[in-house]
Amino acid sequence: MARRTPYTKVLKDNQIREEHIKGMGDVLFKGFQCLNSKCENFLFVRKNEICDEFEFECPMCNFFFKSGEETKFYDYKLQHTVEDRIIEKGEFTILHDDYIREAQEYKYCIVCNTIKPSHLFDRHSARISGRQGECRLCKGIYNSIKNQSRISDQHREAAQKRRMYLDLSGQHKIDSKVIHERFGHKCFKCGKDLSNVPSATERPLDHTLPVYYLFPLDTDNATLLCRDHNGEKSGKWPSQYYNSEELKKLAIITGIDYDTLQGEPFYNPQAIENLKNSDVVDALLTKYSAYMDEIIKLRNRLLREIKFDFFEYSKIISPIHIQRANELILNQH
């Protein structure tokens, strides 16, 4: 379908912009909990105020953070268990410089007025912060309004379509921890370290064999990718995205046969077999009756690509739906 004209303008009225947000579009903060174990305060300190020589105070408990100083948590003795002697004694401390250095960056979204981790803002090289002023969530909603590309009904339809495909592929248990460990907590495509990425959307699990071909997302059919490469891979058969060396490695990691990965796409035989069951087909039609267009698209695709028509196995489908589906096929020729 042709894209709608981009020549639109969003006119904003009654926009909320709190005083503490004004001028904060490019200000980066370091966010961290107070090192005083009795204090539950979470601090946000402007990044440009943390230099080599820093000193600032927790406003809740008056604990001081100061460069070059450290906080003690316990005394220790390193014991040689065989010879029953103490090898070393000391104090377990955390250097304030190290603690602040590892703290995550945050910034304010100028639209929703909330402070969020900086990785939730798209990159923008022209801005001082290197990030957009609005977070990805607000940017996505804004674009959906401006471009009229993703209205609420379309979001619901997309969600239902995904549920329908998952139902067809079969519900399977998935152990994310096992998958992350299997791939060494790194994006399989680029090797990006995802071990400390807090958001699951930044370390998504990809269908190794795509759900488009009715394969389930389970522990054995999942590849760990970063957000960018997951978007690139989406819907593609492995041989359409990975090179031969990557396919060989993927076969070892996942246990999926190399010939399957490097070969031509095919539909999940088990899913097709399920669609030969009248009860399964009628349950599918009933559950997703409000999204009949998506069911028809799937039926016509299977009929076109593998000569399989699951409408033939239904005991309840109206001839009207079959006629409409067939007319769509004729109109495409």
Side-chain angles (χ1 to χ4, degrees):
M1 184 176 72
R3 291 177 63 100
R4 293 174 184 259
T5 174
Y7 302 104
T8 56
K9 183 178 181 180
V10 178
L11 303 177
K12 304 173 185 176
D13 291 319
N14 305 314
Q15 183 176 7
I16 298 173
R17 181 67 60 80
E18 299 297 339
E19 284 298 321
H20 69 279
I21 303 299
K22 293 179 180 179
M24 290 292 175
D26 276 318
V27 178
L28 290 174
F29 294 82
K30 283 277 193 172
F32 47 90
Q33 187 169 338
C34 181
L35 264 178
N36 179 358
S37 300
K38 296 180 179 180
C39 181
E40 298 179 0
N41 191 31
F42 198 89
L43 291 81
F44 293 100
V45 180
R46 291 195 184 206
K47 185 179 178 182
N48 61 6
E49 294 179 355
I50 303 175
C51 52
D52 291 339
E53 298 294 328
F54 62 82
E55 182 176 345
F56 51 88
E57 183 180 9
C58 172
M60 183 172 290
C61 72
N62 304 119
F63 179 90
F64 268 96
F65 290 84
K66 189 174 182 179
S67 56
E69 293 195 357
E70 53 192 8
T71 296
K72 172 184 170 181
F73 289 91
Y74 59 80
D75 297 309
Y76 72 84
K77 296 178 181 178
L78 180 61
Q79 183 180 25
H80 194 302
T81 57
V82 176
E83 299 178 2
D84 191 24
R85 64 184 178 86
I86 302 301
I87 300 172
E88 177 183 298
K89 296 179 181 180
E91 297 178 341
F92 184 95
T93 62
I94 291 181
L95 188 66
H96 292 184
D97 300 71
D98 292 339
Y99 186 66
I100 301 301
R101 188 182 300 112
E102 70 151 16
Q104 190 168 354
E105 290 184 2
Y106 291 79
K107 72 182 296 292
Y108 277 105
C109 172
I110 61 175
V111 177
C112 64
N113 296 263
T114 59
I115 191 166
K116 296 183 174 184
S118 60
H119 71 264
L120 296 181
F121 298 76
D122 285 331
R123 295 188 180 279
H124 193 301
S125 58
R127 298 186 69 103
I128 297 173
S129 64
R131 299 284 180 172
Q132 294 276 10
E134 58 278 281
C135 66
R136 286 175 183 160
L137 176 60
C138 291
K139 187 71 173 180
I141 296 172
Y142 175 87
N143 287 338
S144 71
I145 296 170
K146 188 175 189 299
N147 300 325
Q148 302 235 305
S149 58
R150 296 287 288 174
I151 59 177
S152 296
D153 286 345
Q154 288 174 314
H155 277 298
R156 284 193 289 272
E157 288 173 7
Q160 287 297 330
K161 177 181 177 180
R162 181 169 182 81
R163 291 191 189 100
M164 181 178 74
Y165 275 66
L166 290 174
D167 280 352
L168 286 172
S169 65
Q171 296 294 334
H172 295 258
K173 291 184 178 180
I174 185 166
D175 191 330
S176 299
K177 182 180 179 182
V178 169
I179 298 166
H180 282 81
E181 291 176 351
R182 181 181 296 159
F183 286 90
H185 303 279
K186 295 180 180 180
C187 171
F188 176 72
K189 184 66 176 177
C190 68
K192 179 181 179 180
D193 186 0
L194 303 174
S195 57
N196 293 318
V197 176
S199 173
T201 60
E202 298 297 320
R203 43 179 169 80
L205 298 178
D206 174 69
H207 284 77
T208 310
L209 304 180
V211 70
Y212 179 91
Y213 294 101
L214 308 184
F215 285 92
L217 182 63
D218 58 21
T219 306
D220 296 326
N221 186 43
T223 301
L224 180 61
L225 295 174
C226 65
R227 183 172 181 262
D228 291 339
H229 287 113
N230 178 258
E232 290 180 2
K233 164 65 168 60
S234 180
K236 296 184 179 70
W237 197 260
S239 60
Q240 298 169 333
Y241 184 65
Y242 300 112
N243 61 42
S244 59
E245 291 304 312
E246 290 170 335
L247 290 172
K248 291 175 183 177
K249 185 177 179 181
L250 191 61
I252 297 299
I253 295 175
T254 63
I256 300 174
D257 189 72
Y258 173 73
D259 289 338
T260 296
L261 296 174
Q262 65 86 37
E264 293 296 318
F266 63 87
Y267 286 90
N268 181 2
Q270 185 58 57
I272 298 302
E273 195 63 30
N274 291 341
L275 285 172
K276 295 178 181 179
N277 184 313
S278 297
D279 293 336
V280 171
V281 174
D282 289 341
L284 174 77
L285 294 171
T286 302
K287 183 174 182 178
Y288 297 101
S289 59
Y291 303 92
M292 196 64 194
D293 286 347
E294 289 299 334
I295 294 178
I296 288 175
K297 287 179 185 178
L298 175 61
R299 177 262 189 179
N300 286 357
R301 173 155 62 88
L302 293 174
L303 186 60
R304 181 178 65 252
E305 295 183 8
I306 61 174
K307 310 301 180 186
F308 174 70
D309 183 4
F310 62 83
F311 280 4
E312 293 181 356
Y313 294 88
S314 174
K315 298 177 180 178
I316 62 173
I317 190 169
S318 166
I320 295 174
H321 292 308
I322 297 174
Q323 181 181 350
R324 184 158 69 92
N326 291 337
E327 287 175 353
L328 286 172
I329 293 177
L330 293 174
N331 292 335
Q332 291 173 352
H333 288 287

